[in-house]
Amino acid sequence: MKFVFIFIFLSINLYSQYQLKYIGNISVTRNNKKINLDNSVKLYDKDIIETENDGFAEIKINNKYYYIANNGKVNLDSKNAELKNGAIYIRNNAFKSLEEFKKYDNDLQVYADPVPLYAGKMGNIFITSNDEIKIKDSKLLGSARPIVKFFEIKNSDKKIKIYKSVFGIYVGAQDKKYQFVCNMELKDKTLLNLAIDIKLDFTPPPPKPKQIQGVTSTMTNIISNPQKSREERELLNGKIYISYSPTNYADKVYMMPAQGRYSSQFGAFRGYTKDYARYHQGFDIANSNGSPIYAANNGVVKISRELFVRGNCVVIDHGEGVYSSYFHMSKLIAEEGQYVKKGDIIGLIGSTGMATGPHCHWEMRAGNMTFDPLSILEKNYSDLKDIKNLTRIK
C-alpha cells in the first residue's frame, strides 16, 4: 500500500505546473473535463485553455511569458504553449497587467476579403500595425494550399503599416474552412503566432463533366502525352508562378484582354474524352483568328513562346505574386523580359495547342493558384480606409 502511495505521489509531480492569470471569460479543460477557475489555479501539461471574446490570459513556461488573446485555443506542454486557434504572443518580459496586454493586442489587426473565402475566387488578407513587423512565415492550410506572401503597401495614413497578400483559392476546393497561419516578430522583439480559421464556401461540381464538342486530333495527341504536359507544368508552376517580384507593376484596375464572345467560364467542369476531365482554369473569349490580345495590366513578360498544351503563350508578372496568362495565340508579339503597359497588344487570337477554335484563354494566378479572372475586375483594396470596411478576423 505504501509503494502504491509513493508511485501516485511521484506520478503527480512528473507534470509541470504553470501559474495562470486571466481577465474576462476563459475555460480550462483537463482530462476532457472543464475545471473550476480562479486566479490562483495551477495549470498542468496537456491542459487546454480557451479564451472567449472578452478573455485574455498569461502563462509563464520556462522563463517565457505566453499571452493568449481573445477567441484563442492553446494546448500546454512542458516546452511551450501550442496554438490551435487565435493569437499567442511570446515575450521575455511580462506586461504590467493584462489590461495593458489587451491594448497591445489591439494595435495589430488582420482583415480578410471575402469572408467566407470562395473556391475559385481571389482572396486577400491584410495585416495592419502601428509599427513595422517582420513576417517570417505565413500559410493558408487546406486541401490545396496557395502561397501566402505579404508585401507592404503605401496608404494615406503614414502612421499605420499595411501588409497585403493576394492569393487564389483552388476552384475544386470543398473544405469547410481554411486556417490562416502566420508567425511574425514585432518591433519590441515579441513573437506573435496566429492560427485563424476562415470559413470557405464552394459550388459543388456537377456529377458528370460537360463533354467538349469538336475535340481535334491535336488535342487527343496532347492528352495522350502526359510526360510533355508534366514538363510544361513544371516550367510554369515550378519556376515561373512561384517567383515573387516585390514591385507592384499593376494599376488598381485590370481590363479585359480581348473583345469577343465569352465562350467558357472559369471553373467549368469539362470532359475532353471519356477518361479525361478537368476544371477550366481560365476565362475564354472567342473571336476570329488574328484578333488582338491586350495586356490586362502593366507587368514584365516572363514567357512568350510556344508550349505543348497551351500553344503560343504569354505570361505577364504583375508583381507581388500575381500573374496573367494568355494561351492559344496565332502570333506572339510581346517578347520575354519586355515591360508592357495595360492595353498593349501582346499577341493575336488563335487556336494553337489544346483548343477547338480561335479564342483567348485568359488565366489569372496569385500565390501559384488560379482564380476567376473576373473577380480581379471587381475590386482592389490599397488604402486603409478601404481595408477598415472589410471583415476583421483578428
Side-chain angles (χ1 to χ4, degrees):
M1 188 68 176
K2 184 178 180 181
F3 173 78
V4 173
F5 173 78
I6 294 173
F7 176 79
I8 295 173
F9 177 81
L10 290 175
S11 66
I12 291 174
N13 283 274
L14 287 175
Y15 292 96
S16 300
Q17 295 183 359
Y18 314 104
Q19 182 68 45
L20 169 70
K21 297 180 181 179
Y22 68 93
I23 57 174
N25 290 296
I26 78 165
S27 64
V28 174
T29 302
R30 180 177 300 154
N31 297 324
N32 298 317
K33 295 181 181 179
K34 301 280 187 179
I35 66 171
N36 294 325
L37 286 180
D38 58 49
N39 267 315
S40 64
V41 69
K42 296 288 186 181
L43 300 181
Y44 298 91
D45 291 345
K46 300 183 180 181
D47 282 354
I48 300 171
I49 306 169
E50 295 181 78
T51 56
E52 296 185 17
N53 192 52
D54 63 344
F56 295 82
E58 174 199 291
I59 310 161
K60 187 178 181 181
I61 303 175
N62 295 332
N63 297 318
K64 295 279 187 181
Y65 292 90
Y66 292 79
Y67 286 89
I68 307 168
N70 59 329
N71 299 313
K73 182 177 181 180
V74 170
N75 291 1
L76 292 185
D77 65 37
S78 58
K79 296 179 180 178
N80 58 25
E82 182 185 7
L83 180 66
K84 293 298 183 181
N85 199 43
I88 189 167
Y89 299 76
I90 306 167
R91 296 165 56 91
N92 292 323
N93 301 312
F95 286 103
K96 293 179 181 179
S97 67
L98 282 167
E99 288 293 344
E100 181 187 24
F101 164 57
K102 183 177 178 180
K103 293 178 181 178
Y104 180 93
D105 172 62
N106 194 53
D107 286 344
L108 188 142
Q109 301 176 4
V110 184
Y111 299 84
D113 183 75
V115 175
L117 298 171
Y118 205 95
K121 298 291 186 179
M122 178 181 68
N124 296 273
I125 294 178
F126 298 89
I127 300 175
T128 67
S129 175
N130 291 341
D131 296 303
E132 184 175 346
I133 60 177
K134 294 180 182 179
I135 300 175
K136 296 184 173 182
D137 184 36
S138 52
K139 301 174 184 176
L140 199 60
L141 303 182
S143 58
R145 301 182 178 186
I147 300 170
V148 178
K149 190 174 179 67
F150 284 88
F151 297 88
E152 185 176 355
I153 61 175
K154 296 179 180 179
N155 72 98
S156 58
D157 188 344
K158 296 182 179 179
K159 295 180 181 179
I160 302 293
K161 300 286 186 180
I162 300 178
Y163 302 86
K164 175 184 178 181
S165 180
V166 183
F167 48 86
I169 299 292
Y170 174 54
V171 65
Q174 297 184 42
D175 308 68
K176 291 183 178 180
K177 64 182 180 181
Y178 270 48
Q179 188 174 68
F180 170 56
V181 175
C182 187
N183 303 319
M184 64 188 80
E185 182 181 304
L186 308 185
K187 188 177 181 180
D188 61 0
K189 304 301 181 182
T190 296
L191 300 180
L192 169 59
N193 298 335
L194 301 175
I196 302 172
D197 290 340
I198 309 175
K199 185 180 177 182
L200 176 73
D201 278 350
F202 58 89
T203 302
K208 293 182 180 180
K210 182 179 179 180
Q211 292 299 313
I212 296 293
Q213 301 300 313
V215 174
T216 65
S217 58
T218 299
M219 297 172 68
T220 304
N221 179 57
I222 290 171
I223 293 169
S224 62
N225 283 274
Q227 178 59 32
K228 288 187 177 181
S229 299
R230 190 178 304 113
E231 291 171 359
E232 190 170 309
R233 286 197 305 272
E234 289 173 356
L235 167 67
L236 295 173
N237 294 20
K239 294 182 180 179
I240 302 299
Y241 294 138
I242 64 170
S243 62
Y244 274 74
S245 169
T247 303
N248 178 27
Y249 303 111
D251 289 340
K252 290 183 180 180
V253 180
Y254 280 70
M255 64 174 281
M256 293 293 291
Q259 296 179 344
R261 177 175 59 90
Y262 301 159
S263 56
S264 184
Q265 294 184 339
F266 176 89
F269 191 42
R270 309 189 306 186
Y272 296 85
T273 67
K274 182 180 178 181
D275 302 314
Y276 188 89
R278 295 289 186 274
Y279 286 103
H280 188 221
Q281 301 286 318
F283 184 83
D284 288 351
I285 307 167
N287 207 329
S288 58
N289 203 60
S291 300
I293 298 175
Y294 308 96
N297 216 319
N298 311 329
V300 177
V301 177
K302 292 295 185 181
I303 292 285
S304 181
R305 66 182 78 165
E306 183 179 6
L307 299 177
F308 180 64
V309 178
R310 293 156 179 83
N312 289 327
C313 165
V314 169
V315 176
I316 300 175
D317 177 7
H318 300 292
E320 299 180 348
V322 180
Y323 288 84
S324 63
S325 303
Y326 316 80
F327 303 159
H328 313 306
M329 294 179 176
S330 61
K331 182 179 179 180
L332 298 165
I333 293 177
E335 298 179 354
E336 293 185 6
Q338 177 185 351
Y339 178 82
V340 294
K341 294 182 179 179
K342 181 172 67 175
D344 285 352
I345 297 176
I346 57 174
L348 304 179
I349 282 180
S351 55
T352 57
M354 195 161 173
T356 58
H359 71 282
C360 170
H361 171 101
W362 176 32
E363 194 168 289
M364 291 296 306
R365 282 181 181 262
N368 198 16
M369 196 70 68
T370 56
F371 61 88
D372 186 350
L374 298 187
S375 68
I376 206 167
L377 301 176
E378 297 170 356
K379 50 197 171 183
N380 195 350
Y381 308 106
S382 61
D383 200 86
L384 184 63
K385 64 179 183 294
D386 301 319
I387 295 166
K388 289 289 186 179
N389 292 324
L390 302 180
T391 302
R392 181 176 171 181
I393 59 174
K394 184 240 174 258

